[in-house]
Amino acid sequence: MATLGFHASHEQISPGQLLKDVQLAEQAGFDAAMCSDHIEPWSARQGHSGFAWSWLGAALATTKLRFGVVTAPGQRYHPAIIAHASATLADMFPGRFWMATGSGEYMNEHVTGEAWPDKETRQRRLEEAVQIIRELHDGQEVTRSGLLKVQQARIWDIPEIKPPLIAPAVSVETARRSAAWADGLVTVNQPPAKLKDMLAAYRDAGGRGPAALQVHLSWAPVEEDAVAIAVDQWRSNVFAPPIPWDLPTAAHFDNVSAEVGEKQVRTAVNISADTAQHAEWLAGYLELGFEELYLHFVGQEQEPFIDAFAEHVLPQLRGSDRPARTREVLL
């Protein structure tokens, strides 16, 4: 059965509230959760950006969900630090933690004051980082002198179940290239033909492990409200690379998205007041071959979305063998 997860958006919701939201999502019947690791939101209207690694410890300790995080070892974080943090979580919560290691975005990495490399250099740096992390997770002492410098690094608490290293990709080429090192693939909702091509490229290149999809969506009881939420919160997130890779701050994203309207936002967000329509969209992604879906309601108030989808969407995707759980039932 497919995993139906909840995306915890640190960039939109304060850490304390987001912890309550993910606990509520578990009670409502979501199977898992994932989040991203930012220091800057995409918009001042989003207005948050808690530290994902602190939050993950609390979230894993106060739920039974499996969690993932999208992170970028190489500039803001030395890979030895990411290896250390992930090994600790994996030791405390065996089999419940994974991370998607990407090449990064300037909005998060510019804080180091270092030059921002071109995409090919960032990709090679990522591949070096992945190798370093894997060796550290194997208990090796690591010394390197390449794009990344490491001197006699070692992790002393090695988890019995190592955290999978998943490839985050938004292009066919990145999906294909990632097959050489990844334990799985995660991407975001895009046109079905492109998603199909990405899955094929990853699998044909020998890619192993699960394929996961983060689905940006907006729902409200009234269509106009669902549109308004999406335009307000997600219009700075509609641009194709290299724009999201290279802008430095939320103010820059707000400037370039000032004229973005509903039509363009609908290319990045599934918008509908009809939960049956959302269920149909999500079922279509499963039919493409994704085993895990992480639902990201792009609004900031998560409770109505969680309740509505627990009652009307999750049961449709699971069939009749797993009944919906609502907070009323739990109480």
Side-chain angles (χ1 to χ4, degrees), residues 5-305:
F6 172 82
H7 177 73
S9 183
H10 286 289
E11 301 77 29
Q12 297 178 273
I13 302 166
S14 69
Q17 181 58 51
L18 196 59
L19 185 61
K20 296 175 184 176
D21 290 339
V22 78
Q23 292 165 352
L24 180 61
E26 179 187 37
Q27 294 169 6
F30 284 82
D31 303 314
M34 68 172 287
C35 66
S36 54
D37 176 11
H38 277 226
I39 198 168
E40 181 96 5
W42 287 282
S43 169
R45 294 182 309 280
Q46 295 174 349
H48 298 279
S49 203
F51 186 52
W53 293 94
S54 302
W55 184 88
L56 280 163
L60 283 157
T62 58
T63 72
K64 295 181 180 179
L65 299 177
R66 182 168 57 90
F67 278 83
V69 62
V70 182
T71 191
Q75 188 156 326
R76 183 167 46 120
Y77 299 124
H78 192 282
I81 301 302
I82 292 297
H84 194 189
S86 56
T88 296
L89 288 176
D91 180 75
M92 292 191 294
F93 308 104
R96 291 178 53 205
F97 175 69
W98 56 269
M99 60 180 176
T101 48
S103 59
E105 296 172 331
Y106 190 46
M107 65 186 301
N108 299 306
E109 311 307 318
H110 75 273
V111 297
T112 65
E114 299 174 12
W116 183 233
D118 60 63
K119 175 60 175 175
E120 175 58 27
T121 302
R122 299 199 307 271
Q123 193 64 38
R124 288 191 287 111
R125 183 173 68 180
L126 167 63
E127 290 159 2
E128 284 189 18
V130 167
Q131 184 62 32
I132 291 165
I133 291 168
R134 288 199 186 281
E135 291 179 10
L136 290 169
H137 282 175
D138 285 338
Q140 299 180 39
E141 181 180 280
V142 178
T143 296
R144 286 284 189 283
S145 183
L147 290 172
L148 295 165
K149 306 294 191 294
V150 188
Q151 183 65 35
Q152 293 180 302
R154 180 180 175 185
I155 293 173
W156 289 84
D157 290 292
I158 303 302
E160 183 176 346
I161 301 175
K162 296 176 177 59
L165 304 186
I166 308 299
V170 294
S171 71
V172 173
E173 178 53 38
T174 300
R176 181 182 294 111
R177 181 168 178 168
S178 300
W181 60 263
D183 297 319
L185 180 73
V186 62
T187 187
V188 297
N189 55 293
Q190 301 180 71
K194 183 176 179 183
L195 291 174
K196 186 176 181 179
D197 289 345
M198 288 182 67
L199 286 174
Y202 181 72
R203 298 300 186 197
D204 291 348
R208 62 187 183 274
L213 185 69
Q214 179 188 351
V215 182
H216 305 308
L217 64 92
S218 187
W219 169 87
V222 178
E223 183 81 11
E224 295 168 349
D225 293 338
V227 171
I229 289 168
V231 172
D232 176 69
Q233 283 291 296
W234 216 245
R235 69 173 180 264
S236 54
N237 296 69
V238 301
F239 303 105
I243 291 175
W245 294 341
D246 295 337
L247 294 182
T249 68
H252 288 81
F253 278 87
D254 281 335
N255 286 337
V256 300
S257 62
E259 303 302 321
V260 171
E262 175 184 346
K263 183 177 180 180
Q264 194 169 353
V265 172
R266 283 186 179 273
T267 66
V269 182
N270 291 345
I271 304 173
S272 180
D274 184 358
T275 54
Q277 175 62 77
H278 283 286
E280 182 178 334
W281 282 326
L282 294 168
Y285 297 134
L286 295 175
E287 290 172 4
L288 288 175
F290 289 97
E291 294 105 329
E292 301 185 13
L293 302 181
Y294 291 88
L295 279 54
H296 174 209
F297 169 59
V298 299
Q300 293 182 296
E301 186 179 351
Q302 296 290 306
E303 184 175 344
F305 151 73

